[in-house]
Amino acid sequence: MSTADTAVRPPPVRTAPPHTTVPLPPPGVPAGTPAARRARPGPGPGAPAVREAVRRGAAPLVSLLAVVCLWQLAWALQWPATLPAPAAVAGEITTAWADGSLAPAVLHSLGRCLLGFVCAVAIGAPLGMLLHRFTLARLTTAPALSAVQSLPAAALVPVAVLFLGPSDTAVLGVVLLGAVPSVAVGVLGALDQVPPLLVRAGRTMGATGVRSARYVLLPAALPGVVAAVRQGWTFGWRALMTAELISGTALTGVGGLLDAGRRSGSLSQVLAATALILVVGVAVEVLAFRPVERRVLRSRGLA
């Protein structure tokens, strides 16, 4: 073995592949250390949010596309023979938009439901808190609220029309009868799930009465309260559509479009109005309630 072979060879120098930029560590941080690796620039803070939004939006779009494809297949096979094509239903929506009847119908229905929803929350949330606070009121009122909540909206429409007449007030009354019990029962259930230890701890720190409800009960029950409010909107929207459909009042609304299709015997118009009801309900759910609920759950480490 020669002297050249026994000489200590220097370690090979690792070079970066061509067209690759090696990020330099900040000044004062030795290269190759964990601090230098943590300091390397990574994807922007918005990249995970964008990927999550794409992932959440892709699944509903795929489901919608699958439903439309199955619908088109059923129409092509003439099963049933009265089923209109998806293009015909889309044409009904386009026609209603072109003649100016679609936008006023949606806006009137949303306005009625929003007014009824605000009134339902203003009545139902304090009512649920009172039922949680006073046992006698709970024993006498909670069963009645549960009974009214179990009634279908179609059974409430004749009662409201006979009491208030065929008017917009009767439709609002149906929305309240559908939403107030749901909000009150939901808030009551959310407050019942608050651990009593929190209430006792707040009482020892001076939080009693209204202060206990404001600083202990409501913050602890906030996820359940948000769910109760969302459920109140859902019940109110369903009750509104039923009232607009069968109340016999000449009111502009999405339910009126559905009733017009029923009277004219146009299945494509009926399906177009049904799709519109579904789209509005899902849009309010996704754009209004779901972000609020996700934020509340994330603030408590539940999502």
Side-chain angles (χ1 to χ4, degrees):
M1 183 178 297
S2 63
T3 307
D5 295 332
T6 58
V8 178
R9 296 179 180 178
V13 178
R14 296 182 179 179
T15 59
H19 307 292
T20 302
T21 303
V22 179
L24 297 177
V29 178
T33 60
R37 288 191 293 269
R38 287 195 300 268
R40 292 178 181 176
V50 172
R51 288 195 296 268
E52 181 68 15
V54 171
R55 186 183 66 83
R56 290 179 179 274
L61 290 179
V62 171
S63 300
L64 178 61
L65 183 61
V67 170
V68 173
C69 291
L70 292 176
W71 183 0
Q72 182 68 28
L73 179 62
W75 173 80
L77 297 176
Q78 293 294 305
W79 189 81
T82 57
L83 181 66
V89 176
E92 291 286 347
I93 298 177
T94 305
T95 302
W97 176 266
D99 61 19
S101 61
L102 180 61
V106 174
L107 292 178
H108 279 85
S109 293
L110 281 177
R112 294 190 191 101
C113 194
L114 182 60
L115 177 60
F117 169 73
V118 172
C119 296
V121 173
I123 298 172
L127 180 59
M129 297 179 65
L130 289 176
L131 296 181
H132 176 78
R133 177 64 177 83
F134 300 103
T135 305
L136 181 60
R138 177 175 186 157
L139 293 176
T140 56
T141 308
L145 290 176
S146 299
V148 175
Q149 186 182 9
S150 64
L151 284 175
L156 302 175
V157 175
V159 177
V161 171
L162 290 177
F163 270 99
L164 304 174
S167 61
D168 207 346
T169 307
V171 175
L172 180 61
V174 174
V175 175
L176 290 177
L177 289 175
V180 169
S182 176
V183 175
V185 173
V187 170
L188 176 60
L191 294 176
D192 288 342
Q193 294 177 3
V194 176
L197 182 61
L198 292 180
V199 180
R200 291 196 296 267
R203 189 180 297 116
T204 58
M205 300 177 67
T208 58
V210 178
R211 292 174 60 87
S212 176
R214 179 180 178 182
Y215 296 107
V216 179
L217 283 176
L218 285 180
L222 189 57
V225 171
V226 173
V229 170
R230 184 183 64 177
Q231 185 178 2
W233 170 269
T234 302
F235 275 73
W237 180 249
R238 293 176 180 175
L240 175 66
M241 293 300 103
T242 305
E244 289 182 349
L245 178 61
I246 67 175
S247 62
T249 57
L251 299 176
T252 303
V254 181
L257 296 179
L258 183 62
D259 185 53
R262 179 187 61 84
R263 286 186 279 104
S264 63
S266 175
L267 183 56
S268 59
Q269 185 175 354
V270 170
L271 291 178
T274 304
L276 191 61
I277 294 171
L278 179 64
V279 168
V280 173
V282 172
V284 174
E285 167 77 16
V286 172
L287 299 178
F289 291 105
R290 190 169 297 176
V292 174
E293 186 176 23
R294 190 182 302 119
R295 183 174 181 179
V296 171
L297 294 177
R298 188 181 296 115
S299 65
R300 284 157 171 75
L302 300 176

